[in-house]
Amino acid sequence: GRVVNVAAAAYDPPFISKSTTVASLSAVCTSLNTTLNARGGYYGLSKFLMVHHALEVAKREPTVTAVALAPGVAIDLPSIPNWAKHALVHLNYPEWLLKWLPEAFQHFIKACTTNEAGLESCPETLAQGAGVIVAAASWPEVSAYSGSYYDFDTKPLPDDAPNAYGRWTQSDPTCMPRQPAQMDETLREAWYDEMLRLMGNAVNPVHDVVDRI
């Protein structure tokens, strides 16, 4: 069987620190943390945990291929060449004009010129974003990389650099095994057990799901 967790680039995960415990992680995931919620941090935390869920599944279930991936920034776009889209996004708009553009367009300009500055296609089409998911789910070669996180080439940004998503920037190619943001291995193991407890699942939930597919 195969498990593909659709995550996201979470290289500066909120809430996670050296002092994070299973109890504190369980509390923030089962009740609303208003501070984290106000910063939009639940999205990043959930994606970070999905990455490490896949890594722990691969570790515990040797007969199951488990990977996580970040498909990129994708929206429903008209059919235009990548070069034209790249030129439009990287036009270096003056501030007075930028503020008159739709907020969604402003967001993608910022994301594609900071966090995703090295991508040929940004934002991606829905088909491009779905392509890496389909590849991870269907390519036989992926079985040799169980426990991997697939993403673009990612490097840190300076603390004061502008960004839309966090202190990192990406470039092509995608769908390559990358090093995810670190999670303490003992915490990851304990959190996986806590997830099973919270869900009330059996000892081998992955096998139960895969066997029914």
Side-chain angles (χ1 to χ4, degrees), residues 46-129:
S46 67
K47 295 301 185 179
F48 172 80
L49 293 175
M50 288 178 72
V51 171
H52 287 279
H53 171 268
L55 271 58
E56 190 65 21
V57 170
K59 177 181 174 182
R60 298 192 184 203
E61 308 290 346
T63 62
V64 175
T65 297
V67 299
L69 59 83
V73 179
I75 59 174
D76 192 9
L77 291 169
S79 180
I80 59 175
N82 283 342
W83 66 265
K85 180 172 55 180
H86 187 277
L88 183 64
V89 169
H90 292 261
L91 197 56
N92 195 23
Y93 296 89
E95 285 295 327
W96 67 266
L97 177 58
L98 191 61
K99 68 180 183 180
W100 288 100
L101 298 175
E103 286 189 12
F105 192 50
Q106 292 183 47
H107 170 77
F108 286 116
I109 289 175
K110 185 174 184 179
C112 294
T113 55
T114 58
N115 295 111
E116 313 293 3
L119 274 57
E120 180 183 354
S121 178
C122 184
E124 296 174 300
T125 65
L126 296 182
Q128 289 171 332

